[in-house]
Amino acid sequence: QVQLVESGGGLVQAGGSLRLSCATSRSSFSPNYMAWNRQAPGKQRELVALITSAGNTNYADSVKGRFTISRDNAKNTVYLQMNSLKPEDTAVYYCNGMFGGRTYWGQGTQLTVSS
C-alpha cells in the first residue's frame, strides 16, 4: 500500500504562482510514473502533467509553458510548479502514481485562482 499526500493548495490571484507537493509513503521511490490531475466543479477529472520513471514529462495543452512537474527522489516527493495562474485553473488537484503495476491516488488539494 502506498499513500500519497498532497499539500500546497490555497487561494492565489490570477497571474500568481504556487507549488504543489505530493509526498509518498513508499520508502523506495521508484514509480512507473507520477502525475497531477485536476477536477473542476461540474467537470471530469483531467490529466495535467505526468513524469515517467525515465524523467520524461507530458503536459495538458492548457498548462504547457506555465506548469512544471518535477520530482525529488531523495524526498520521495513530486512537485507541480504553477506559474501565470488563471481562474480556469481553479480545481481540486490530485496526485497519482503507479507503483508495481498498481495505481494510487492522493486525497486532493484545492486551488482557487481569483480574478
Side-chain angles (χ1 to χ4, degrees):
Q1 187 75 9
V2 178
Q3 290 186 327
L4 307 180
V5 180
E6 302 99 332
S7 61
L11 175 64
V12 64
Q13 288 189 332
S17 298
L18 208 63
R19 188 178 76 164
L20 303 181
S21 300
C22 173
T24 68
S25 63
R26 192 177 174 109
S27 59
S28 175
F29 190 62
S30 56
N32 300 100
Y33 72 84
M34 293 292 297
W36 286 95
N37 304 261
R38 67 187 180 186
Q39 187 166 19
K43 295 187 177 181
Q44 289 188 331
R45 191 173 296 188
E46 63 173 350
L47 177 66
V48 175
L50 180 147
I51 184 166
T52 70
S53 58
N56 298 314
T57 58
N58 193 27
Y59 298 92
D61 288 342
S62 59
V63 306
K64 281 181 181 177
R66 300 189 298 122
F67 291 11
T68 302
I69 188 171
S70 63
R71 66 185 185 202
D72 185 333
N73 293 341
K75 296 183 178 179
N76 294 351
T77 300
V78 172
Y79 303 98
L80 185 68
Q81 178 67 42
M82 304 180 292
N83 300 326
S84 302
L85 284 164
K86 304 175 181 180
E88 49 264 44
D89 294 319
T90 295
V92 177
Y93 283 72
Y94 297 91
C95 172
N96 86 295
M98 178 174 281
F99 296 81
R102 293 186 62 182
T103 301
Y104 298 87
W105 289 84
Q107 81 288 350
T109 185
Q110 175 71 46
L111 168 68
T112 302
V113 183
S114 63
S115 57

